[in-house]
Amino acid sequence: MSAAPTANTGLIETDQHGMKAHSDGGDAYVPVQSRAERFTSTSVDDFEKVTGFELEWKLTPISRIAALTEGELDGSAPATALPEGVAGVAASWVDRSDARIGTAGAPEERASANAWSSFEKALAIDVSGEELHEYRVIRSELGQTPRAAHTVITAAPFSQGLVILSNSGDAQLSENVEIVVGDQAQLTVVTVQEWTDESNHLASHFARVGRDARLRHIVISLGGGVVRVNPSIHLVETGADGSAFGAYFADAGQHLEQRVYIDHVAAQTKSRVKYKGALQGATARSVWVGDVLIGPHATGTDSYEENRNLVLSEGPRADSIPNLEIETGDIQGAGHASSTGRFDDEQLFYLQSRGIPEDEARRLVVRGFLAEIVAQIGSEQVESELSAAIEAELTRAQGI
Amino acid sequence: MSNLEIRDLHVSVETEQGTKQILKGVDLSIGEGETHAIMGPNGSGKSTLAYAIAGHPKYTVESGSVKLDGEEVLTMTVDERARAGLFLAMQYPVEIPGVSVSNFLRTAKTAIDGAAPPIRGWIKDLDSSMSQLRMDKSFRERNVNEGFSGGEKKRNEILQLELLKPKFAVLDETDSGLDVDALKIVSEGVNRAKANTGLGILLITHYNRILKYIQPDFVHVFVAGKVVEQGGPELAVRLENEGYDRFLSNVNVGS
């Protein structure tokens, strides 16, 4: 053997598969609860006060978000800038009694239920055009008053759409976003968090994907104190396809959390989950939980979920917990992967050996690492804004 | 006239069994436009020499010097060495996810030259080098080395060699894993770089095969961490016929 250096990636493959036993674990252990059996209610009173011991909350700094889980929320329509004249997309503020509300799911925890109990008007976005158009909703003036929001995005059968929720400025926000994808519709929903450090944001997204329909759901979290975005995607009709992508960059003091739930209800459904995060600074924190449930009728399904974390300094903590429940023997594929590691020295050496200074090489690697997710959005404008935002995060992180 | 002077170079590496001496006093002088082949059996330290010159952090220089036009290279960072005019074509180039070939090449060229290349001339150079290396234009948008075949990775290394225009290049077993067509294409690229820029080459190889396409001026036999014999191209032919046995008889393997 020649003495070429071997790759030393520092990767730690986690072998923790989460809090539930594998289904092949024999009769010695019965899972506490299947994801499908979790309690849901739209009323905050049906949930106990959050203690931090709950499965849902035990990785979250609950003292920082008490105003959202326990306090009273302003339910008036939040300041929202809506684009005008986008063909095939219409939006309006509707009452709680609107038939669209409650069609995609219901809260599984108290912050979500608190928002549901509190909102007065919901933003209804209807995508009906068969040509793909971008519809970008901007919320940048929510202020520091704890508030609730509710959004329902409906894609009519055969429609195509790209809906982007762009969030910046101050916010203390707990919200629910419902997403209903009609038969054969193709919808992409992107939520971008670039809040100030003083902001906190808890979001539950509930999606129902129809027959041969496709949903691409993308979460980009860069700014905010505690940001927790939990998408639940229910593949309820044959041939439904759901992808959940996410990218996050946690600096010191930030807690960025995402709990992804893919629910394969119908046969021949397909899902892909890919979340990638970078962490910098001793108190930077990220949580990724990926639950995939393949139900008893979900034969012929194909699913894969993965989470990759790149730790850029000493001290950050990244939790990465994939959970897979399979209730049928007839599936095409089901897999998961998780890794949390430091910079790949060989990548840095390669770039430096081409004259690229170390700090620039590091930026290039991180940017490339997250670019894979950003490139999924499908909006040049938003992608280039996010690339610039990631670049700014990196420059700030390096103190240059 | 540029020159690269390696003097009494001792290099060690940390292993699970402790510090292991690999290079035990290497002396080499390479002048501008010269091609030196380093041949030796597996484990003789050929690749260590390549990576030590480039500054890989895994290798510790115990003593000696590597001077490029009189400047000590060993105190430079990896990127400073590249900017000073050194290039290492790697045996196993790594993948850089999410970084396109074109972005990477442009970033490297900008770093080496100290200024971004004029866009028009740059695209022209890139297109022409890629087409001579039989690389499809689609490579520009692919992520660096991701999903590349072995031959594609080697072409990508030589593409960088042509575009970055170093003074001296170390080619670490660039011939390994190449079929004869790819070997010819890659060799032509090296020869072009040499003709265009007066590149000095340290060609590390286990086999005589690549020397049919890249003519060496000097051949050095490398055994147990040092040069044990030097000669002209005829030495490579002799090695091909006789193997390395006559050099190994007085070496204690594993010492």
Side-chain angles (χ1 to χ4, degrees):
Chain A
M1 278 296 293
S2 60
T6 53
N8 175 19
T9 60
L11 283 184
I12 304 153
E13 292 289 338
T14 58
D15 54 12
Q16 182 195 4
H17 294 141
M19 289 154 285
K20 303 179 188 89
H22 272 293
S23 54
D24 61 358
D27 55 6
Y29 182 85
V30 178
V32 179
Q33 184 195 45
S34 164
R35 177 74 201 232
E37 294 160 2
R38 212 174 275 187
F39 174 76
T40 65
S41 168
T42 57
S43 170
V44 65
D45 299 330
D46 290 340
F47 293 90
E48 299 288 330
K49 280 193 150 193
V50 175
T51 62
F53 294 109
E54 299 84 353
L55 186 66
E56 267 297 296
W57 292 109
K58 66 177 195 175
L59 298 171
T60 315
I62 57 157
S63 62
R64 291 165 67 179
I65 50 161
L68 299 176
T69 57
E70 315 303 329
E72 199 165 302
L73 302 176
D74 180 344
S76 62
T80 307
L82 301 173
E84 284 180 21
V86 177
V89 186
S92 59
W93 292 94
V94 300
D95 291 330
R96 292 179 62 88
S97 58
D98 191 277
R100 284 166 286 196
I101 292 168
T103 51
E108 289 183 350
E109 37 82 352
R110 189 173 162 98
S112 172
N114 198 17
W116 201 299
S117 296
S118 307
F119 80 93
E120 290 160 17
K121 293 277 185 183
L123 176 62
I125 300 171
D126 292 313
V127 176
S128 57
E130 293 194 18
E131 302 279 330
L132 178 65
H133 289 287
E134 176 181 332
Y135 190 85
R136 187 175 186 187
V137 176
I138 295 174
R139 298 185 294 189
S140 59
E141 294 169 6
L142 299 190
Q144 285 289 350
T145 307
R147 64 175 64 251
H150 197 104
T151 307
V152 187
I153 303 167
T154 311
F158 306 105
S159 67
Q160 281 197 73
L162 167 58
V163 176
I164 299 167
L165 309 174
S166 285
N167 300 309
S168 58
D170 281 342
Q172 301 296 331
L173 175 65
S174 181
E175 69 168 338
N176 294 293
V177 176
E178 297 188 68
I179 301 162
V180 180
V181 190
D183 293 352
Q184 292 197 43
Q186 303 212 354
L187 178 68
T188 300
V189 173
V190 184
T191 179
V192 179
Q193 286 65 242
E194 294 184 89
W195 304 113
T196 59
D197 291 347
E198 297 71 37
S199 299
N200 296 302
H201 179 205
L202 306 177
S204 293
H205 289 216
F206 309 97
R208 279 178 69 87
V209 186
R211 174 178 288 266
D212 297 328
R214 195 180 82 184
L215 171 68
R216 285 159 17 97
H217 186 274
I218 302 167
V219 179
I220 310 283
S221 291
L222 303 177
V226 177
V227 176
R228 192 172 119 126
V229 180
N230 299 344
S232 297
I233 299 174
H234 304 275
L235 304 171
V236 293
E237 300 285 352
T238 307
D241 181 330
S243 305
F245 297 103
Y248 45 94
F249 195 128
D251 296 322
Q254 282 189 295
H255 174 99
L256 304 180
E257 178 166 347
Q258 29 266 313
R259 293 169 175 264
V260 185
Y261 174 32
I262 303 286
D263 180 19
H264 286 269
V265 179
Q268 311 298 329
T269 48
K270 180 182 171 187
S271 70
R272 289 289 179 270
V273 177
K274 190 169 207 173
Y275 271 66
K276 296 176 96 173
L279 296 95
Q280 161 90 28
T283 54
R285 188 86 163 77
S286 74
V287 175
W288 177 83
V289 178
D291 290 346
V292 174
L293 169 61
I294 298 169
H297 307 295
T299 53
T301 58
D302 177 11
S303 72
Y304 194 81
E305 60 168 350
E306 74 177 288
N307 175 226
R308 307 280 176 196
N309 293 298
L310 190 54
V311 179
L312 309 181
S313 70
E314 294 291 330
R317 174 173 163 179
D319 285 272
S320 181
I321 305 166
N323 296 308
L324 198 50
E325 285 181 78
I326 305 176
E327 297 178 344
T328 173
D330 175 18
I331 58 168
Q332 273 206 9
H336 61 73
S338 165
S339 67
T340 297
R342 299 183 60 91
F343 265 111
D344 183 336
D345 290 341
E346 296 304 325
Q347 288 181 350
L348 288 181
F349 173 72
Y350 189 74
L351 294 170
Q352 282 186 265
S353 78
R354 275 28 176 175
I356 302 170
E358 185 180 352
D359 54 353
E360 196 178 347
R362 286 177 183 273
R363 286 206 295 271
L364 209 54
V365 169
V366 179
R367 207 166 45 199
F369 177 74
L370 298 178
E372 185 194 355
I373 302 298
V374 172
Q376 297 291 335
I377 293 174
S379 160
E380 267 185 41
Q381 169 76 17
V382 173
E383 287 174 24
S384 87
E385 281 174 29
L386 286 172
S387 299
I390 290 167
E391 189 73 29
E393 289 265 350
L394 283 163
T395 306
R396 201 171 47 191
Q398 291 180 339
I400 295 162
Chain B
M1 290 290 278
S2 278
N3 63 78
L4 185 67
E5 297 278 345
I6 300 168
R7 286 286 162 265
D8 198 27
L9 187 63
H10 289 73
V11 172
S12 66
V13 63
E14 291 302 319
T15 69
E16 282 170 15
Q17 289 80 39
T19 305
K20 190 166 186 252
Q21 298 298 323
I22 308 230
L23 301 188
K24 298 167 182 169
V26 178
D27 290 295
L28 273 175
S29 300
I30 304 162
E32 186 173 321
E34 291 177 1
T35 300
H36 293 243
I38 303 263
M39 302 186 71
N42 287 333
S44 59
K46 303 188 300 289
S47 284
T48 298
L49 176 63
Y51 283 91
I53 293 171
H56 194 285
K58 185 181 156 189
Y59 300 95
T60 307
V61 174
E62 304 283 352
S63 63
S65 81
V66 177
K67 287 187 175 167
L68 173 59
D69 297 340
E71 291 279 322
E72 181 57 70
V73 162
L74 296 176
T75 53
M76 297 180 189
T77 60
V78 175
D79 48 302
E80 284 168 351
R81 296 178 197 207
R83 292 198 296 275
L86 291 179
F87 183 88
L88 169 62
M90 296 191 200
Q91 189 180 359
Y92 303 109
V94 298
E95 298 178 1
I96 317 277
V99 178
S100 71
V101 167
S102 88
N103 180 17
F104 164 64
L105 290 173
R106 201 172 153 74
T107 305
K109 183 67 176 168
T110 304
I112 297 271
D113 290 1
I119 190 85
R120 258 222 182 128
W122 169 247
I123 297 285
K124 197 168 144 265
D125 289 352
L126 181 59
D127 278 355
S128 126
S129 293
M130 287 182 75
S131 109
Q132 284 171 319
L133 288 165
R134 315 277 199 283
M135 294 173 78
D136 189 84
K137 277 186 182 177
S138 63
F139 269 89
R140 297 203 303 220
E141 301 316 316
R142 289 175 66 182
N143 292 333
V144 177
N145 293 321
E146 205 174 64
F148 286 25
S149 69
E152 288 167 347
K153 285 183 181 170
K154 296 295 170 68
R155 285 179 217 200
N156 192 36
E157 294 293 286
I158 302 308
L159 176 66
Q160 294 165 50
L161 172 67
E162 285 201 65
L163 293 169
L164 299 180
K165 301 185 172 29
K167 293 176 182 166
F168 290 94
V170 181
L171 309 182
D172 185 22
E173 304 208 13
T174 294
D175 50 340
S176 71
L178 292 184
D179 62 34
V180 67
D181 293 329
L183 183 64
K184 280 182 193 169
I185 291 166
V186 161
S187 300
E188 283 165 16
V190 173
N191 290 331
R192 267 196 308 278
K194 182 174 167 176
N196 290 338
T197 63
L199 176 72
I201 297 166
L202 193 59
L203 178 68
I204 291 173
T205 182
H206 190 75
Y207 304 103
N208 194 21
R209 191 170 73 132
I210 193 171
L211 304 180
K212 290 174 192 147
Y213 305 102
I214 302 175
Q215 284 291 325
D217 303 302
F218 304 93
V219 173
H220 309 267
V221 181
F222 210 71
V223 177
K226 52 163 74 167
V227 175
V228 294
E229 189 164 326
Q230 316 197 42
E234 72 288 346
L235 182 54
V237 178
R238 192 174 163 202
L239 287 171
E240 182 86 345
N241 295 332
E242 297 176 8
Y244 296 106
D245 277 356
R246 71 186 167 96
F247 300 107
L248 293 173
S249 55
N250 54 0
V251 170
N252 294 319
V253 172
S255 67

